[in-house]
Amino acid sequence: MTLPALPGILQKPSEFSRYNTVACLLAGCIGLIVFGIQPLLFGALVRQGTITDPWVGSLVATETLTMALGSVAGLSLLRRNDATRIGTFAALAMAAINLASLAGSGPQSLLLLRALAGLAEGMLVTLALARIGRDQNPERRSAQFLAMQTTTQAVAAVFLPDLTFRGSQAAGGFLLLAVLGVLATACARLAPRDIGDMSEFGPRRPIGPASWLTLVATGLYMGALVCGWSFAGLALSTRGIGVDVQGYMMAASLLAQLPGVALAAYLSPRAPAIPLIGGSWLAISCILQVLMATHGGPPLLWASMLGYGLIWLFPLPFITRLLIRIDPSRQSSLYVSASLLIGSAAIPLLGALATSRGGADAALGLASMVAVSAAMLVGIVLPLLLYRMKRASIGAKPETPG
């Protein structure tokens, strides 16, 4: 079945320059940079007695969910308002909230502050999403954003252990986020004011069933991926892998994301989207099954973790292209980030429940099943739905007079 072609050259390409493009993508990276330092930041809060272990999951899930809400709200605001003002407000709010977190108050107030921070961070991410949505080559721009995102998170994770404020590593982390919020303010000032205007791609229309199905499957995939990643350390420990070796494995897996993104950027203009997306998700499921079945085989465990990182971000540029081909108005492609964030928060919570009953392998098994479900939705259900929609549109055409 043939999908609609990608939109052609933009009518107003002069609105964008190299500088404001980098500024928008960097603002989005700053909005997401907390994911690179969350384990270190919340671990420091536990060590200094501000929170206890059970609060970590609640803080992560709350900030992730409110970030999804912030991105949806930001996209709605960008359609009708000045993007510079919205981005500036979100960046300053991010800085102020993280400065307020320096007070080191109890877990309840910290939960509220992280929820507010998620809203501001999600609104910052929309600057990058809107810039990608209006690009002439959105899938390649998406790959560039993913590479920048991975790099900035890795750099922040490397430097955070050496940052302290008033003798506290957690305070150093919040101060770093506040400073980055100020930097994001400068980025927002460079954003084109009407970056959220998608009218050049046609009138806005409701998100259709095929787009919703793709977004749901994308959320399930990212949820499965994060769930598997969250409990991989526990699974490796039960297989006799020491903490120091686990650290090297995790670092190598994260670094493997970069060649995965580069490969996706190279293939995305010409390779078929649906087979690559479904195949990648099935590969993640297989890797999780290998982790569950392997006992005492370091070489295979190393290969599994490297493969996990390589595939991690690989499908995302193809998802952007698929959504744009389904919906040439580009409205649905803007909600990819929200679907990823919701899945990242929801599925690991189910994984935690599974772990309480069956250990880390139960969480890996759940993640594997969710990944297979996502692959079936995109690889089987979506093509059938698109075929049915195509047949319906052909049948709805008026007959030509003979």
Side-chain angles (χ1 to χ4, degrees), residues 13-102:
S14 59
E15 292 180 358
F16 301 112
S17 67
R18 180 180 302 176
Y19 299 107
N20 61 31
T21 294
V22 172
C24 291
L25 298 184
L26 184 56
C29 290
I30 291 174
L32 294 167
I33 203 166
V34 68
F35 290 124
I37 65 172
Q38 268 181 345
L40 297 169
L41 180 61
F42 294 146
L45 288 170
V46 171
R47 287 193 300 273
Q48 69 186 32
T50 304
I51 60 173
T52 56
D53 288 344
W55 279 96
V56 173
S58 300
L59 289 168
V60 172
T62 298
E63 187 166 2
T64 304
L65 286 174
T66 57
M67 195 182 294
L69 294 175
S71 68
V72 173
L75 290 171
S76 178
L77 290 171
L78 283 180
R79 292 192 188 100
R80 303 182 299 273
N81 298 282
D82 186 338
T84 300
R85 293 181 180 178
I86 294 169
T88 301
F89 169 79
L92 290 176
M94 175 183 170
I97 293 166
N98 283 290
L99 286 176
S101 301
L102 288 172

Side-chain angles (χ1 to χ4, degrees), residues 205-223:
R205 56 188 179 184
I207 298 178
S211 297
W212 276 118
L213 180 66
T214 305
L215 289 170
V216 169
T218 300
L220 290 175
Y221 161 71
M222 186 54 65

Side-chain angles (χ1 to χ4, degrees), residues 170-265:
F174 288 129
L175 185 61
L176 172 64
L177 291 173
V179 171
L180 289 173
V182 175
L183 175 60
T185 303
C187 294
R189 301 299 298 175
L190 294 174
R193 296 177 181 274
D194 63 342
I195 195 172
D197 179 14
M198 299 287 171
S199 59
E200 62 202 85
F201 303 110
R204 185 187 174 198
R205 56 188 179 184
I207 298 178
S211 297
W212 276 118
L213 180 66
T214 305
L215 289 170
V216 169
T218 300
L220 290 175
Y221 161 71
M222 186 54 65
L225 196 71
V226 173
C227 182
W229 178 260
S230 301
F231 296 98
L234 291 176
L236 292 172
S237 296
T238 61
R239 283 146 180 79
I241 304 297
V243 176
D244 53 343
V245 178
Q246 287 182 38
Y248 291 126
M249 283 185 171
M250 299 294 183
S253 185
L254 290 172
L255 287 174
Q257 292 179 14
L258 294 176
V261 170
L263 180 62

